Amino acid sequence: PARPIPVLAGPDHTLAFAADPYRFIGRECAARHTDVAQGRLLLAPTLFLTGAPAAQLFYDKERFVRAGAAPEPLRATLFGKGAVQTLDGSAHLRRKAFFLEATAPARVAALVRQAEVTWLTMASHWRSQPQLVLYTSAQEWLTRSVCAWAGVPLPEHEVQLRTGQLAALFDSAASGLGAHLRARRARRQAETWLAGLVQEIRDGRRRVAGRTLLQAAAELTDERGEPLPARIAAVELLNVLRPTVAVSVFVVFAAHALHHHPGWAPTLAAGGDLGADAFVQEVRRFYPFFPAIAARVRRDFVWEGYHFPQGRRVLLDLYGTNHDGRLWPHPGEFRPERFMGRIPGLFELVPQGGGRADDQHRCPGEGVTLALMKLALRLLVQRSRYRLPPQNLAIDMRRLPALPRDRFVIADFQPV
Ligand code: HEM
């Protein structure tokens, strides 16, 4: 006998969710002392899940699928149509292998080496500017770095264009109608660009040195061993380029955290030790980035006495799980110490999803993200002098992704 799932008041919750996308699920569930609540998004019944046990449930492949889970506006901007995010079963595993190869430790190390060289080159230009916006400067840094590493040619006159397109995919996707339409256009243009490169490699019109990511994308095949359509290969190439540029959001938050907790500077200058790891983990836990992720019930089941009907959309609350006081004492305080001597469980620290990256949908890019965050912090602490001019450092929690209102302006930058 199932017990009733707590139901949110009112006919539809789309506006309330959009008004506070990071805190809505956690707040509504906490008010009802539940980890599962039922509401409606765009009038469709939706189950909201929060906390580590619910995260573990969400990653059970017997109970949930991703096909048909992501709404079209996100597939048309952030993910791309036909992308790994929307696959299940063996098709998912086959496609995921491309990302596991791209993010293997040796490949991450190569990306970090490239990114350091690129930073030092750019820093000599930053010196001549009275001030710069860290968010956009970091986007250009990461675009140049990831394209060089991936073997994607990026002529100097295209740097601004491609940086803008890659950034629009995550920065404009859910920031109002005008921005959303820009993100759709950016996706069409970026896919056309990369599909063209894939086609040139397949036709033998372009030679690449070594096994680059671009080469690996050109070689992607489907379940029958046939080459994937060049457009899908481009979608998956973008699934590495775009989120690497999106690390700019965490670079800004890392700099924001450093500004508020300057005592951590000596630890961060040292780079990869335990303290720097703890700091970047706490940045990923504390600051908002992805609010939630979606799946659909594969077939009817009962969990904790609650009945989950086949086909029902569920949203797993990532931000709220990272701020769950049952897992994280004083969740609203920035305390890297909480990660000293604690390896978080697979479903506890979920800014980039939970479970395993190799055979579940968890993000394969956590190693890339952590390494680039630590690199940026080390370069900011050790190789740079700058000051913060007066500005609004408050974080706009209504925006997706949330960001400091002025995007973190720095002045009088000096490389040292
Ligand atoms: C999936 C967050 C960086 C590649 C995901 C998911 C989240 C996420 C929440 C969904 C997990 C799920 O559906 O279960 C982030 C954040 C990042 C980041 C906040 C910081 C910028 C990266 C990087 C890469 C990457 C650097 C590539 C190098 C992917 C891919 C998937 C994914 C390919 C789809 C995995 C799948 O469906 O199997 N990420 N990610 N991400 N991420 Fe990341």
Side-chain angles (χ1 to χ4, degrees):
R3 54 179 175 143
I5 295 178
V7 179
L8 307 192
D12 188 80
H13 309 96
T14 313
L15 293 179
F17 182 79
D20 197 4
Y22 293 100
R23 292 174 295 208
F24 174 78
I25 299 176
R27 187 184 67 218
E28 295 297 330
C29 284
R32 291 166 181 78
H33 306 287
T34 179
D35 286 349
V36 186
Q38 174 149 311
R40 284 176 187 269
L41 290 182
L42 299 174
L43 295 173
T46 303
L47 293 172
F48 300 110
L49 304 180
T50 194
Q56 181 159 12
L57 171 71
F58 180 90
Y59 279 92
D60 183 342
K61 292 194 263 188
E62 298 299 312
R63 288 168 156 172
F64 296 97
V65 291
R66 299 302 180 94
E72 196 277 344
L74 282 189
R75 285 185 293 117
T77 55
L78 193 64
F79 300 151
K81 297 192 174 170
V84 64
Q85 286 91 341
T86 62
L87 302 179
D88 293 297
S90 60
H92 174 247
L93 291 183
R94 185 183 183 91
R95 194 73 64 79
K96 193 77 184 252
F98 167 75
F99 298 98
L100 298 173
E101 182 189 327
T103 57
R107 301 295 297 136
V108 176
L111 175 58
V112 168
R113 284 195 299 276
Q114 176 64 55
E116 180 158 7
V117 171
T118 304
W119 175 291
L120 296 176
T121 310
M122 291 180 74
S124 57
H125 300 288
W126 291 341
R127 180 212 311 261
S128 55
Q129 299 172 20
Q131 53 182 43
L132 50 97
V133 179
L134 183 61
Y135 185 46
T136 47
S137 300
Q139 287 170 357
E140 182 184 327
W141 167 53
L142 292 163
T143 299
R144 288 179 182 273
S145 304
V146 75
C147 286
W149 165 84
V152 170
L154 185 63
E156 195 56 36
H157 68 271
E158 282 190 14
V159 171
Q160 296 307 323
L161 175 75
R162 300 308 179 194
T163 301
Q165 287 171 354
L166 292 171
L169 299 178
F170 61 88
D171 188 76
S172 304
S175 299
L177 184 60
H180 177 75
L181 296 176
R182 274 200 304 285
R184 283 183 181 258
R185 189 168 61 239
R187 171 155 291 279
R188 284 193 298 274
Q189 292 167 335
E191 285 181 6
T192 302
W193 166 46
L194 295 170
L197 292 173
V198 164
Q199 201 55 55
E200 285 178 22
I201 288 182
R202 288 181 176 172
D203 297 347
R205 284 180 287 139
R206 175 177 289 278
R207 298 249 173 277
V208 287
R211 189 169 165 75
T212 59
L213 186 76
L214 176 58
Q215 177 75 36
E219 291 171 9
L220 276 168
T221 53
D222 66 15
E223 306 236 76
R224 290 162 323 205
E226 299 292 324
L228 279 185
R231 196 92 194 167
I232 305 283
V235 163
E236 302 302 25
L237 205 42
L238 278 174
N239 249 332
V240 175
L241 305 188
R242 179 205 74 248
T244 303
V245 177
V247 173
S248 55
V249 174
F250 275 149
V251 168
V252 164
F253 286 145
H256 188 273
L258 172 64
H259 174 68
H260 289 289
H261 306 274
W264 282 87
T267 308
L268 298 171
D273 71 349
L274 283 176
D277 282 327
F279 190 91
V280 292
Q281 290 292 45
E282 180 68 345
V283 170
R284 292 195 315 140
R285 184 198 70 81
F286 178 81
Y287 287 93
F289 197 157
F290 263 66
I293 49 180
R296 279 189 193 277
V297 176
R298 185 190 186 102
R299 62 176 90 88
D300 284 39
F301 68 88
V302 174
W303 182 75
E304 301 280 320
Y306 297 133
H307 176 232
F308 286 67
Q310 179 173 350
R312 182 68 39 94
R313 180 177 281 161
V314 301
L315 279 192
L316 173 66
D317 178 21
L318 300 182
Y319 181 83
T321 303
N322 290 338
H323 286 256
D324 186 335
R326 296 169 295 181
L327 287 167
W328 311 104
H330 307 285
E333 288 173 24
F334 184 83
R335 290 187 184 176
E337 297 85 352
R338 66 174 91 240
F339 287 102
M340 306 276 229
R342 169 175 179 178
I343 297 173
L346 290 181
F347 303 99
E348 292 177 351
L349 177 69
V350 294
Q352 299 181 222
R356 291 179 304 268
D358 57 351
D359 66 344
Q360 294 171 307
H361 278 278
R362 189 189 187 113
C363 178
E366 290 186 282
V368 171
T369 304
L370 292 168
L372 289 173
M373 290 172 75
K374 283 192 286 185
L375 174 66
L377 281 167
R378 179 166 65 74
L379 292 168
L380 283 173
V381 171
Q382 209 178 33
R383 306 293 303 264
S384 321
R385 295 275 174 281
Y386 57 89
R387 65 183 181 80
L388 295 201
Q391 64 185 290
N392 192 342
L393 289 170
I395 291 164
D396 182 358
M397 297 289 286
R398 288 192 59 151
R399 187 179 193 282
L400 288 172
L403 284 167
R405 299 237 175 219
D406 290 334
R407 310 288 184 263
F408 211 83
V409 182
I410 62 183
D412 302 333
F413 181 91
Q414 286 291 333
V416 291

